[in-house]
Amino acid sequence: MKNKTSIQGSWASRWIFILAATGSAVGLGNIWKFPYITGENGGGAFVLVYLACILMVGIPIMMAEVFIGRRARKNPINALADVAEESESTKKWGVIGLMGMLSGVLIFSFYSVVGGWVLHYIKVMLTGEMIGVTSDAAGSAFGALLADPATLLGWHTLFSIMSIAVVAAGINKGIETATRIMMPALFVLLIILVGYAMTTGGFAQGWNFMFEFDFSKLTWNAALVALGHSFFTLSLGMGTIMAYGSYMTKDASIGKTVLAIGGLDTLVALVAGLAIFPIIFSNGMDPAAGPGLMFISLPVAFGQMAFGQLFGVLFFVLIGVAAWTSAISLLEPTVAFLVERLKIKRITAAVGLGIIVWGLGIACLGSFSFMSDVTFFGKNTFDFFDYITANIMLPLGGIFIALFAGWVVKDKFAQDELQLPSAVFKLWNISMKYTAPIAVAIVLYFLINPMQ
Ligand code: TRP
């Protein structure tokens, strides 16, 4: 399997791959979800478990995804099938890729709705509607937005079109160009915002909240959330990184590259927390406010602060950019699959898939209004899609990818791609065979049989 390239093209350099994968990894997960689940799960101890999951489970699985993609240079389904065949196993392993595509579709449909909220809040911040509002007023403004499907539909549609357009334009003209412009912008915005947070007076409190490890607050559920989130935030378990890896140049070191991506993603999550919690604390608000944390507390906080309007706009632009570069990566594996399997044009594949995810997104946005009665296991569509993907499908996909890389792929092929020093290879191999699958299995077990 030497010297192949994907028919979709390849990244211009190793750095472009790092930035594109980081663009996928850094998203709503880092800036919207991570702070609020940290808040809900008590802070420090949760952060520590999350860091352990990233290091012990996330990074090794990401290496597996990249090498499988790069070895086969095909979409995830065919990549898994080809790599299995090379190691004299069954092509049926491609099924993991199929489950991954389904996860991508489900994630995109609620992701795009939240992306729409973000676009709406850019507008709200620009017009200054939130200047001087109370928490109650901001809460009812957010509630009113959720209860207004027409407005949500407009923003969700815009966000979907933005994402589909980039994917339709292809690897180099689309994703790569977007990456080159948006990732530097994202880093600059983030630095400006932490700098701002440091001036608010709540910085020490925000820092302590995130880094004081109080294990009495840790529960199995929190561990599950931390593990699920480590998959979600690194874009693992559904083939995104595998697809991106299939466009990676052969000479780049997978280990170092993956460490850079995992490191950047973690850094952005921590820094985003350090930008958000001080603002929350300095305004006397509740860090455990849930999904509304960013959309209720922050606008109030910005509305009370010097230059709050300017920084508020910057903040929501930052999240919008992060969400956009992630959303495109949710579509890419399936688009690559459709192009390669059905031999259709990329634009046709992107638009076709786009219509499906956009339609499912309508069920998600309707969860707060006309479809609020429709529930699955007691959750509305929006929450259900989030829960089943982040907490079940991605971890399951991760277990199977790990087992596949550890037990099915012959060591010589894995090592041919990874080129790790032999001690590190052993560690990686143990993680694939045992540590990662067992960790995931334990947490899933306690999810299904909660301890009293
Ligand atoms: N990682 C992104 C975030 O943190 C979301 C995302 C993009 C994703 N592609 C993915 C999650 C693939 C799981 C799988 O917001």
Side-chain angles (χ1 to χ4, degrees):
M1 289 199 181
K2 283 262 156 79
N3 301 326
K4 283 201 286 190
T5 49
S6 164
I7 63 165
Q8 319 282 347
S10 54
W11 306 117
S13 70
R14 169 171 172 258
W15 267 100
I16 290 294
F17 171 67
I18 294 182
L19 284 186
T22 306
S24 165
V26 172
L28 293 170
N30 302 61
I31 307 175
W32 166 64
K33 242 182 164 187
F34 176 71
Y36 92 73
I37 56 181
T38 301
E40 285 179 339
N41 290 289
F46 174 83
V47 174
L48 196 65
V49 176
Y50 155 82
L51 291 176
C53 292
I54 296 276
L55 206 64
M56 286 168 40
V57 180
I59 301 267
I61 291 185
M62 188 185 270
M63 289 166 63
E65 283 207 27
V66 173
F67 102 67
I68 294 166
R70 189 172 76 173
R71 190 147 188 91
R73 303 243 180 246
K74 288 192 183 152
N75 68 79
I77 294 185
N78 294 97
L80 285 156
D82 283 10
V83 171
E85 192 177 38
E86 182 189 40
S87 288
E88 288 152 38
S89 183
T90 155
K91 294 190 111 180
K92 295 209 175 85
W93 282 101
V95 163
I96 309 172
L98 196 65
M99 180 175 83
M101 280 173 202
L102 182 63
S103 312
V105 166
L106 297 179
I107 296 174
F108 186 94
S109 55
F110 73 85
Y111 209 85
S112 169
V113 172
V114 182
W117 301 349
V118 174
L119 297 179
H120 176 80
Y121 272 80
I122 296 178
K123 188 199 113 194
V124 166
M125 287 285 138
L126 274 173
T127 56
E129 284 165 47
M130 288 283 182
I131 296 179
V133 295
T134 61
S135 293
D136 284 350
S140 28
F142 185 59
L145 173 68
L146 293 189
D148 175 3
T151 306
L152 290 180
L153 180 63
W155 293 116
H156 160 60
T157 306
L158 177 61
F159 189 85
S160 299
I161 292 174
M162 284 162 55
S163 310
I164 295 163
V166 175
V167 178
I171 296 304
N172 300 102
K173 277 203 207 122
I175 302 182
E176 197 170 309
T177 311
T179 299
R180 280 182 201 273
I181 301 169
M182 294 200 275
M183 293 314 288
L186 190 143
F187 292 125
V188 172
L189 283 172
L190 193 63
I191 291 168
I192 296 177
L193 284 160
V194 208
Y196 178 65
M198 285 180 172
T199 68
T200 58
F203 196 76
Q205 210 181 340
W207 177 277
N208 291 341
F209 180 71
M210 285 179 63
F211 298 116
E212 255 173 20
F213 306 125
D214 175 359
F215 282 98
S216 65
K217 289 192 181 137
L218 203 64
T219 59
W220 276 105
N221 189 58
L224 168 73
V225 175
L227 182 77
H229 187 67
S230 67
F231 283 97
F232 188 87
T233 190
L234 292 177
S235 303
L236 295 178
M238 67 147 275
T240 281
I241 296 295
M242 214 181 275
Y244 276 26
S246 70
Y247 315 136
M248 183 191 185
T249 46
K250 184 85 193 174
D251 49 1
S253 146
I254 293 181
K256 285 188 195 134
T257 306
V258 163
L259 276 181
I261 299 164
L264 281 171
D265 182 73
T266 306
L267 192 69
V268 172
L270 296 178
V271 171
L274 288 178
I276 290 172
F277 287 119
I279 297 178
I280 300 289
F281 286 124
S282 65
N283 288 279
M285 294 184 210
D286 178 13
L293 183 68
M294 198 172 86
F295 296 99
I296 299 173
S297 316
L298 281 182
V300 177
F302 283 126
Q304 293 168 352
M305 304 164 89
F307 304 107
Q309 189 179 4
L310 171 67
F311 287 105
V313 173
L314 288 181
F315 186 82
F316 282 99
V317 170
L318 164 76
I319 306 164
V321 167
W324 190 10
T325 52
S326 298
I328 56 185
S329 79
L330 287 163
L331 301 175
E332 178 57 30
T334 308
V335 168
F337 171 75
L338 294 173
V339 169
E340 288 165 23
R341 178 60 73 85
L342 304 180
K343 312 253 181 293
I344 53 179
K345 285 208 195 98
R346 187 168 253 276
I347 180 159
T348 317
V351 172
L353 176 66
I355 292 173
I356 294 173
V357 292
W358 173 80
L360 278 172
I362 296 177
C364 291
L365 67 86
S367 297
F368 309 106
S369 50
F370 60 90
M371 273 186 52
S372 58
D373 294 342
V374 181
T375 56
F376 307 87
F377 304 100
K379 295 186 190 308
N380 65 31
T381 313
F382 180 97
D383 290 337
F384 179 67
F385 282 10
D386 180 6
Y387 187 85
I388 190 176
T389 51
N391 293 352
I392 298 177
M393 292 169 78
L394 298 178
L396 267 184
I399 293 196
F400 285 122
I401 290 169
L403 292 173
F404 177 76
W407 295 99
V408 176
V409 180
K410 298 211 161 116
D411 284 0
K412 61 176 181 210
F413 297 135
Q415 185 56 325
D416 181 36
E417 292 295 324
L418 294 170
Q419 310 259 353
L420 296 168
S422 66
V424 182
F425 182 78
K426 275 214 184 77
L427 269 180
W428 173 81
N429 204 251
I430 290 173
S431 162
M432 291 296 99
K433 282 187 160 131
Y434 309 103
T435 331
I438 291 174
V440 177
I442 291 176
V443 174
L444 285 179
Y445 174 82
F446 280 112
L447 170 73
I448 296 162
N449 307 291
M451 284 204 299
Q452 296 312 316

